[in-house]
Amino acid sequence: MTRETWGTRTGFILAAAGSAVGLGNIWRFPWMTAENGGSAFLLVYLVVVLAVGVPGLLGEFVIGRRARRNPVGALGDLSGSRRWAAVGGISAITGVALLSFYSVGGGWILRYLLVSIVGAVTDGAAYLADPGPYFESISFGVEAAGFHLLFLALTGLIVLGGVRRGIELGTKVMMPAVLALLVGMAVWVSTRAGAGAGYDFFLSFDLETIRRNFFSILGPAAGQALFTLSVGAGTMITYASYIDENRSLPFDGSVIALLNTGVGVLAGLVVFPLLFSQGIDPGSGGPGALFVGIAGAFAALPGGGLLAVLFFGVVAFAALSSSISMLEIPVSILVDERGWSRRKAVGVLLALIATTGTITAFRPSLFDFVAGTLVDLLLTGGLIAFLLFAGWVLGRDAVAEYATGAGPLSRRLGIPWLLAIGVAIPLFLVFTLLTTLGVDTRVGFWPTAGAAVAVVGLALLGLRRGRAAV
């Protein structure tokens, strides 16, 4: 069976960027920013994206294009080890876990979009009268499960179309729409009285806040960077495996990271000025910033009903562009490794995720665990494994793949990049994971740093070093 490839370079970039651009940017990013110091969080996040996210993204690209396989096949073929293939198999679990909560959130978006459309032609959207109680009444239960299934069905229809006719075509429509609508809304919001306070909160970098709260900000910023860039789940290994020509991976990775970060910043330029212009506290937490805070702002604005349709339309496009990448991970594994047809793989996985997602739609505590602790552990652990694989198993072959199609400047950065993904970034990720779990508050900074060094050192002892350049 001939393996599909991307039809165009633009299609690949938009699909990969679409995977990164989703609820993580428009829902989670403003919420995490509000809860972690506003502009202080933004600055730390941007540094993590540049220093950790982009090299990590390139690490997954190198593995995927080198093997032209899904995470299981790629790690297994390139290493000749069943153990590494099993590590790649965790990507399938991660994809299912991601969609088990993401499709519930996607269902919320679809509901708000449909209610906004109906409200625009009737007496106003139902949530405008009392946003808080409305969200509480629909966020979990039978109706939430129903919209979860609807969102999941839309995701499955796009993935069923395949790489070119489904994923690439869908993201070529959705990504430009997301960017255009966000830019338009950001321009409109800038004209609102009181918007300046939102810009100050979001953009006035406060180094003193960072100094006092660095480690409490670092964990959420790192988690947000991994989530929004779609690294650690095997998504970028899968997408890079469909590349059919020699392209500059450093260039493509930089463009994708720039698009992703740009959408996150644009979302902040919409959400915070809008909230502050209406005197609404942005730090309400969780889904409140989007579903409660924004809905409350729409209720107070002239023409708020139409604005709500545009806003939730943007978020729906962004959510779908990410969810299709989550489903494509296990689909590619079943198609490549088990020889299943795409139709069968999509059908079986939709049935599985329909079940797991429905369970989370009825249990808020389980939703919080999957969306927070479980996903953070899977993404961080997955990225650590992929980077150690690229740095210590592929070694010089990783540098050769990195340099293929790259320009002179990018090629000169090959060895420093390998050192970063093989040593520095895994140490950072393990340390960040330990601080997120609160280890530093119990034992202190230096014992936590020592533990991170010990964990990475033990991992390196078990790796094949013969072909490594580090």
Side-chain angles (χ1 to χ4, degrees), residues 63 75 84 87 380-390:
I63 296 171
L75 270 61
W84 274 114
V87 171
T380 304
L383 183 58
I384 291 170
F386 295 148
L387 295 186
L388 291 176
F389 180 88

Side-chain angles (χ1 to χ4, degrees), residues 372-426:
T373 304
L374 180 60
V375 167
D376 284 347
L377 288 173
L378 288 172
L379 291 179
T380 304
L383 183 58
I384 291 170
F386 295 148
L387 295 186
L388 291 176
F389 180 88
W392 293 91
V393 178
L394 290 183
R396 291 184 178 89
D397 288 343
V399 176
E401 190 65 41
Y402 165 95
T404 300
L409 176 60
S410 295
R411 287 197 293 270
R412 284 196 291 270
L413 296 175
I415 294 299
W417 165 77
L418 190 66
L419 288 167
I421 66 167
V423 180
I425 295 177

Side-chain angles (χ1 to χ4, degrees), residues 95 160 231:
L160 189 62
V231 292

Side-chain angles (χ1 to χ4, degrees), residues 83-84 392-393 456-465:
R83 291 182 179 179
W84 274 114
W392 293 91
V393 178
V456 174
L458 288 173
L460 296 181
L461 289 177
L463 296 176
R464 294 168 55 188
R465 304 184 184 187

Side-chain angles (χ1 to χ4, degrees), residues 335-356:
V335 170
D336 291 345
E337 305 305 314
R338 299 298 181 185
W340 288 19
S341 68
R342 178 168 285 268
R343 181 181 297 274
K344 178 181 177 182
V346 171
V348 169
L349 287 166
L350 286 182
L352 172 62
I353 300 167
T355 302
T356 56

Side-chain angles (χ1 to χ4, degrees), residues 5 15 30 46 48 52 79 184 192 204 212 231 254 288 308 344 371 377 384:
T5 60
L46 293 175
V48 173
V52 177
S79 68
R192 307 301 304 172
S204 297
R212 291 197 312 266
V231 292
S254 299
K344 178 181 177 182
L377 288 173
I384 291 170

